[in-house]
Amino acid sequence: MIDIFIKSCNRAYYLDRCLQSIYKLVTGEFTIKILDDGTPPQYLARIAQQYPDVQMLRSPLYGAKVAILAGYLQQGQAYQSLGIPTQFWIESIAAGTDYFLLLEDDIWLTQPVDVSAIEATIRRERLAMVRLSWQGNPQLVAGQLHKLDASIEEIKPTIPQWRSLVFTNRFKVRSVGYKLGFFRDIMPYQLPLYVLYAVAAAFFEKHYWLFLWQGAGTRVLEEAQLKKALYWYQQQQSRYAKVLVESAQTSYLTSTTNGYQETRCDMLLINHLLNEAWLGGELDSMQQYPKDFAVAYLAPFLLATPNGQELYHDWLTWTARFKNDYERVGCVVE
């Protein structure tokens, strides 16, 4: 038996897609546990009705976040972000199975996944992580590849020592270089370390994942996790792997927060509109699956609202900016 954790926040239309993909493609023994952090209750009730076997866990700040969102959407009150529920994730995963699959609500499976077979390989080979997705970016899974079984291959990392020195700022290499005009963009030095770390769409050994998030605050700081991942790799001589065929995909069309303030995109309103359309049976969560939703399919739900043209334009601007951030480091975003 293995746990499948899904981190969720106010995108029920994507959460439904994620769950449908699991029931469509996953074999083996598993339990699904949703770690929700603020999806309004009417949407979770629909999810619970459709998937009665799924365990629904709510963060300690769930009620407060639902109330803040309602105040923003209904009364125009200022939206106050309370941060991510790191401790809730840690406690939930600590109480789960020794090995687990971690997804997020806007990630869905695209290929068959036998969780029992993968768990057996992880145990036998003592793997810290097995990636299901690398966003079409070979840099995220770079290294010497060695096939372990019919579906998994080990990645033996090839991380140049000088790159890790720059990234970790050991001996103040990065600080001194920055003052001299070097290392302004740290991403080229950071990318090789992603072979040791993934936010989601991967199987993890529990103690490894808990070490990565130990002491983390209420904001995602991937640089801190990557430094911990490098330390673990160097100290534990841990092993990493990926599936032979990329088996999960993520969306670049929405976010759980507004972000990119200069784009003026009201993502909270957009998620509300799409959640409502899904709840009313107008939005098909599997539209164009296994690809992401077509922009033309989602557009009418935004355009039909007051100031719809402006909302739609701002959304297109936001998605272009969001996709560009990932394309810049080699990811495939379509």
Side-chain angles (χ1 to χ4, degrees):
M1 177 66 70
I2 194 167
D3 284 333
I4 299 177
F5 289 104
I6 306 172
K7 293 192 290 187
S8 170
C9 181
N10 194 32
R11 288 183 291 185
Y13 57 99
Y14 268 124
L15 177 59
D16 185 23
R17 169 180 280 231
C18 176
L19 288 166
Q20 286 200 52
S21 75
I22 291 171
Y23 282 109
K24 179 182 178 68
L25 293 172
V26 173
T27 55
E29 297 185 30
F30 60 92
T31 299
I32 301 174
K33 298 178 180 179
I34 296 173
L35 308 179
D36 194 79
D37 188 41
T39 303
Q42 65 270 30
Y43 307 134
L44 291 187
R46 167 78 178 276
I47 291 292
Q49 182 182 37
Q50 289 185 209
Y51 307 98
D53 294 333
V54 168
Q55 296 183 27
M56 190 76 67
L57 308 176
R58 293 171 174 82
S59 74
L61 292 176
Y62 172 84
K65 291 190 174 186
V66 168
I68 290 170
L69 179 62
Y72 176 80
L73 294 170
Q74 297 168 17
Q75 283 89 41
Q77 297 173 1
Y79 182 80
Q80 177 188 5
S81 174
L82 300 180
I84 61 173
T86 305
Q87 193 58 37
F88 168 61
W89 295 341
I90 289 172
E91 291 174 1
S92 300
I93 287 173
T97 54
D98 290 341
Y99 303 94
F100 64 93
L101 171 59
L102 182 61
L103 301 173
E104 295 186 343
D105 52 10
D106 67 338
I107 295 174
W108 59 92
L109 302 179
T110 58
Q111 298 290 332
V113 176
D114 185 336
V115 295
S116 296
I118 292 177
E119 179 192 13
T121 301
I122 292 173
R123 288 184 181 276
R124 184 184 70 245
E125 303 292 340
R126 301 185 180 218
L127 301 172
M129 182 180 75
V130 177
R131 272 184 174 272
L132 294 186
S133 173
W134 43 94
Q135 296 164 284
N137 186 350
Q139 296 179 80
L140 301 182
V141 288
Q144 298 176 355
L145 302 179
H146 170 66
K147 195 170 181 180
L148 297 176
D149 59 28
S151 63
I152 296 175
E153 56 187 353
E154 182 178 3
I155 311 168
K156 295 184 177 179
T158 52
I159 303 171
Q161 186 175 15
W162 68 275
R163 284 182 179 266
S164 64
L165 285 174
V166 171
F167 176 70
T168 59
N169 199 27
R170 194 176 180 188
F171 308 124
K172 299 194 175 183
V173 170
R174 180 172 164 188
S175 298
V176 172
Y178 189 87
K179 291 178 181 178
L180 295 173
F182 301 105
F183 313 140
R184 299 293 182 179
D185 182 5
I186 200 61
M187 185 55 71
Y189 306 92
Q190 185 169 314
L191 270 178
L193 300 181
Y194 277 98
V195 71
L196 312 175
Y197 169 78
V199 175
F203 288 84
F204 292 93
E205 191 276 325
K206 180 165 67 177
H207 295 100
Y208 174 60
W209 187 93
L210 291 173
F211 173 79
L212 296 180
W213 284 88
Q214 182 181 20
T218 57
R219 291 190 302 133
V220 175
L221 297 173
E222 286 193 19
E223 185 170 325
Q225 262 90 50
L226 285 167
K227 287 178 179 178
K228 284 192 168 187
L230 179 61
Y231 177 83
W232 182 280
Y233 170 64
Q234 293 171 336
Q235 298 298 313
Q236 302 292 331
Q237 298 182 341
S238 47
R239 300 171 66 192
Y240 306 83
K242 71 177 186 70
V243 291
L244 295 177
V245 179
E246 190 163 15
S247 302
Q249 184 173 333
T250 189
S251 173
Y252 300 94
L253 297 181
T254 68
S255 172
T256 56
T257 59
N258 283 338
Y260 299 145
Q261 295 301 322
E262 67 273 18
T263 67
R264 303 178 307 166
C265 182
D266 191 343
M267 193 58 70
L268 299 171
L269 175 58
I270 288 171
N271 282 329
H272 170 71
L273 295 171
L274 298 181
N275 279 334
E276 284 292 294
W278 166 81
L279 185 65
E282 301 171 59
L283 188 154
D284 176 9
S285 62
M286 297 297 276
Q287 190 269 337
Q288 202 172 241
Y289 173 86
K291 294 182 179 180
D292 200 355
F293 292 110
V295 169
Y297 178 75
L298 297 182
F301 302 116
L302 310 186
L303 291 169
T305 63
N307 301 318
Q309 286 287 349
E310 181 179 354
L311 181 65
Y312 178 63
H313 176 269
D314 291 344
W315 176 56
L316 292 182
T317 302
W318 182 94
T319 58
R321 166 76 182 275
F322 192 48
K323 289 180 178 181
N324 181 68
D325 284 351
Y326 283 88
E327 287 178 319
R328 187 170 56 87
V329 296
C331 295
V332 178
V333 301
E334 298 297 341

